[in-house]
Amino acid sequence: MRSLWKMTLVEMKLFLREPAAAFFTLFFPLMVLLIFGSIYGNAPTPFFGGYGSVDVSVPAYTAMIIGSSGLIGLTVAMSMYRERGILRRLRATPLHPLTILSANVIVNFLMTALGMLFLIFVGKMVYGLRFAGDPLSVIAAFTLSSLSFLALGFVLAGVTPTARTAQVLGMVLFYPMLFLSGATVPLEVLPPKMQQYVLVLPMTHVVKLLRGVWIGESWSQHWTEVGVLTAMLVIGVAISAKTFRWE
Amino acid sequence: MNNNIVIKVDQLHKVYGSTVAVDAVSFEVRAGEIFGMVGPNGAGKTTTAECLEGLRDPDGGAIQVFGMSPQKDGHALRERIGVQLQTSALQERLKVWEALDLFGSFYPRPVEREQLLEQMGLTEKRDAKFGKLSGGQKQRLFIALALINDPDLVFLDELTTGLDPQARHAMWDMVRGIRDKGKTVFLTTHFMEEAERLCDRVAIIDRGKIVALDSPESLIRRLSADNRVVFTVEGKFDPQPFLQLPNVTRVEPNGEKVVVHGKTNQVVVDVVTMLVSNGYRFRDLRTEQPNLEDVFMALTGHEMMD
Ligand SMILES: Nc1ncnc2c1ncn2[C@@H]1O[C@H](COP(=O)(O)OP(=O)(O)OP(=O)(O)O)[C@@H](O)[C@H]1O
Ligand SMILES: [Mg+2]
């Protein structure tokens, strides 16, 4: 337990010392929120079912952070640890491999949550962000989404031979989703046919679930998203347990 | 299992594809000794060490460390051993003290951190990030990490690679200090001098096979090779009177530089006396005792590379 605590603390410090990771998780989404907030404002519109642009963007950008932490942040960190021999050194200690994985999950999860809190805080302060949901539902939906993407990140780290390919693969998966899943460009903007197609992207389900619980929709309206993300989590954990390599 | 035997290796085999890295290697390491495995690049030293540490799985043979199997009882074993790997790394932005703090948390009774930093000469670098350390400083940090749990058995794989001569000598003293506290050291090196000066017993390994195993002194004595007297002489040199000396076996004049081979240490006195009585002007006289390098050459028929 002491080693998990120390490991998490160390990983947290390292995360904050890594400018790129901290920037994309904590500040980039805020910048985007402020830029588009200043363009579109947050006046309610029938286009977003009576909500404003910022109201739908905060949960959507949260999905973006979830995606980048899982697909790029965690993937690159884990494959780098393996490639550089950091995992080898840890393996020569009594440390349980689960401790290393848990610490990385905890840190990425907490940082993603912090990114979301920043968005909520600035959205509230600057644009009078509206919220009609139940905080516990939001937390539950966020946790499910984040964990399932972190699981996906472990799968990517496990199946790619080098840190470089892990990074490329993570980006190849992330960038199309960034624009097509509704995380940045609202789903409402896409043609109706396209809105069906993008359901194959896991991040679309995160966006739909988070936006739904944000405005107080019930879980029963989102069983598809919950089902997809839960399946991703379970399968992801199973695959990464099989593909985990120390070196 | 005998209490005095810390490591027991029987017919260890390890292959990588078509490369036989370790071929029927057997040896025992006794409690409280510095045991060295010495041999050229690619001889199989790291592979052997990492099988003992439980980081690699052997393809054949039996290994016991403290009576445990490194592959099956890895967890319990790793609490009692300290490991310095030939190649590994830490996170670039991890600070020296944080690394020791983190690794200390993996063990029930870590040693005092600042004292260990002091011992490894890293006190000034305690707040430096791993990525900013020099090669030798990284090496010293890894050795500190290997000692953080006050292990009963320490594995040091190429411990002085990257260290300057002064740091190397300090490291040897440090390793002797570990042994003097009653602990056991298993080290690998490709420096014959290091093996000769540091190890209580040495296994010479070449191409995956142990070719000799004994104390460095016995290995050298058993070779019964010549002592050599080397000097530079001015003017014309006549080898004949030197060959008449009782202990001299061979004289190699090579321009101004002369090498005289002989059986015992007496040969030095004889050669110097002869030089003086014949009125030679000579300089740079030194003697060369046979060393592990010579043992290696004699046993394998080839030189250690580098
Ligand atoms: N992971 C690996 N995959 C394939 N071959 C390997 C691997 N590790 C070592 N080998 C091969 O096994 C042989 C023994 O390597 P090993 O690293 O044990 O040698 P060594 O004695 O430690 O050498 P050095 O002095 O260079 O460290 C070499 O021929 C090496 O190429
Ligand atoms: Mg080696």
Side-chain angles (χ1 to χ4, degrees):
Chain A
M1 218 46 217
R2 193 165 55 103
S3 48
L4 177 60
W5 159 243
K6 278 276 182 270
M7 193 84 196
T8 308
L9 196 69
V10 158
E11 290 293 342
M12 187 86 78
K13 288 187 196 172
L14 292 172
F15 183 95
L16 295 172
R17 281 175 201 162
E18 177 77 57
F23 177 77
F24 278 105
T25 308
L26 302 176
F27 299 108
F28 179 70
L30 268 190
M31 273 171 45
V32 180
L33 184 75
L34 288 168
I35 291 168
F36 286 101
S38 70
I39 297 173
Y40 297 114
N42 195 24
T45 144
F47 187 67
F48 289 133
Y51 286 88
S53 171
V54 170
D55 301 333
V56 297
S57 294
V58 166
Y61 294 169
T62 300
M64 165 171 90
I65 311 176
I66 288 174
S68 73
S69 303
L71 295 178
I72 300 177
L74 184 76
T75 309
V76 172
M78 290 315 293
S79 46
M80 196 94 110
Y81 278 20
R82 187 177 61 220
E83 187 167 300
R84 301 199 52 237
I86 297 169
L87 290 184
R88 271 170 65 73
R89 183 59 191 84
L90 290 172
R91 193 187 177 194
T93 71
L95 189 67
H96 198 282
L98 263 184
T99 311
I100 308 169
L101 306 189
S102 309
N104 277 282
V105 167
I106 293 171
V107 169
N108 273 283
F109 178 81
L110 289 179
M111 289 297 141
T112 311
L114 191 61
M116 177 178 172
L117 288 177
F118 279 11
L119 284 174
I120 292 174
F121 181 76
V122 171
K124 190 94 193 143
M125 287 297 152
V126 182
Y127 301 106
L129 175 69
R130 296 172 193 86
F131 174 62
D134 164 19
L136 279 182
S137 288
V138 174
I139 292 172
F142 172 85
T143 307
L144 172 64
S145 305
S146 179
L147 292 183
S148 64
F149 265 77
L150 292 171
L152 194 57
F154 277 121
V155 173
L156 294 188
V159 297
T160 45
T162 65
R164 190 85 203 127
T165 45
Q167 185 176 18
V168 170
L169 185 59
M171 287 189 178
V172 163
L173 291 176
F174 177 68
Y175 282 107
M177 287 206 260
L178 182 62
F179 298 109
L180 294 174
S181 69
T184 50
V185 181
L187 284 171
E188 287 85 343
V189 173
L190 301 179
K193 263 246 157 63
M194 198 67 183
Q195 294 193 19
Q196 291 302 310
Y197 294 155
V198 299
L199 288 178
V200 304
L201 303 176
M203 213 151 105
T204 311
H205 297 281
V206 177
V207 174
K208 292 183 84 166
L209 179 62
L210 288 180
R211 277 186 56 179
V213 296
W214 189 259
I215 60 172
E217 287 174 1
S218 79
W219 285 88
S220 61
Q221 284 167 272
H222 292 285
W223 67 265
T224 319
E225 289 82 29
V226 172
V228 168
L229 294 172
T230 309
M232 220 168 92
L233 176 59
V234 172
I235 296 171
V237 168
I239 295 181
S240 41
K242 282 252 182 296
T243 55
F244 179 79
R245 285 169 293 141
W246 288 98
E247 48 190 297
Chain B
M1 188 174 209
N2 188 329
N3 263 342
N4 283 322
I5 304 296
V6 170
I7 300 176
K8 189 170 164 59
V9 178
D10 192 25
Q11 297 289 313
L12 179 65
H13 260 280
K14 178 76 188 175
V15 295
Y16 299 107
S18 59
T19 314
V20 182
V22 178
D23 190 2
V25 159
S26 304
F27 61 89
E28 287 177 352
V29 177
R30 302 169 190 152
E33 72 175 344
I34 301 175
F35 183 93
M37 194 163 244
V38 63
N41 290 139
K45 305 181 294 294
T46 297
T47 304
T48 305
E50 293 190 352
C51 285
L52 299 179
E53 294 153 2
L55 300 183
R56 301 195 198 192
D57 293 333
D59 294 312
I63 303 176
Q64 283 196 315
V65 182
F66 292 122
M68 293 182 270
S69 153
Q71 280 68 34
K72 294 203 195 76
D73 319 309
H75 188 84
L77 180 60
R78 281 179 204 123
E79 293 210 342
R80 293 184 65 186
I81 64 173
V83 173
Q84 175 246 322
L85 298 169
Q86 185 175 7
T87 48
S88 69
L90 297 174
Q91 294 91 326
E92 291 287 299
R93 292 185 168 85
L94 187 66
K95 292 178 181 171
V96 167
W97 75 266
E98 291 170 341
L100 288 168
D101 196 40
L102 176 65
F103 277 71
S105 77
F106 304 159
Y107 302 95
R109 274 174 306 277
V111 300
E112 220 274 304
R113 184 178 60 210
E114 301 303 320
Q115 207 176 318
L116 190 54
L117 282 171
E118 175 82 47
Q119 189 191 344
M120 287 295 130
L122 285 170
T123 305
E124 285 134 72
K125 289 286 165 190
R126 73 185 293 286
D127 294 320
K129 291 178 184 152
F130 177 76
K132 302 267 186 242
L133 298 179
S134 74
Q137 290 162 346
K138 283 181 182 162
Q139 184 74 350
R140 280 185 273 154
L141 174 56
F142 280 123
I143 292 166
L145 293 179
L147 300 177
I148 191 85
N149 56 331
D150 195 19
D152 299 322
L153 167 64
V154 193
F155 290 92
L156 303 167
D157 196 354
E158 305 283 347
L159 90 152
T160 57
T161 302
L163 297 185
D164 57 42
Q166 198 186 341
R168 176 171 299 160
H169 284 98
M171 204 57 81
W172 291 349
D173 284 339
M174 197 275 306
V175 173
R176 290 185 191 108
I178 298 175
R179 176 202 44 203
D180 295 345
K181 278 197 277 175
K183 316 208 172 239
T184 310
V185 179
F186 179 99
L187 64 84
T188 76
T189 180
H190 59 271
F191 291 120
M192 286 293 177
E193 189 199 351
E194 181 162 288
E196 192 175 325
R197 295 184 50 176
L198 188 55
C199 298
D200 298 312
R201 286 192 313 137
V202 178
I204 297 180
I205 182 168
D206 187 43
R207 296 179 188 152
K209 287 193 161 72
I210 290 185
V211 293
L213 197 168
D214 208 332
S215 68
E217 299 75 28
S218 310
L219 287 171
I220 293 164
R221 194 169 350 102
R222 214 166 332 129
L223 185 65
S224 67
D226 291 347
N227 286 296
R228 293 180 292 267
V229 184
V230 183
F231 54 89
T232 306
V233 67
E234 283 172 22
K236 212 177 126 32
F237 177 76
D238 175 18
Q240 268 317 313
F242 290 86
L243 282 167
Q244 307 304 319
L245 292 169
N247 290 313
V248 168
T249 52
R250 196 145 57 94
V251 180
E252 291 172 10
N254 194 350
E256 287 205 317
K257 195 162 176 173
V258 181
V259 181
V260 180
H261 294 249
K263 274 293 164 222
T264 65
N265 283 324
Q266 179 61 32
V267 74
V268 185
V269 179
D270 292 352
V271 167
V272 173
T273 312
M274 180 66 78
L275 281 167
V276 171
S277 61
N278 284 339
Y280 281 112
R281 291 166 65 85
F282 64 95
R283 58 193 151 85
D284 301 337
L285 183 132
R286 65 196 157 83
T287 62
E288 287 176 355
Q289 271 79 40
N291 56 26
L292 267 191
E293 191 87 44
D294 300 311
V295 176
F296 182 83
M297 275 255 278
L299 289 173
T300 65
H302 61 93
E303 259 182 85
M304 285 269 305
M305 287 183 299
D306 78 285

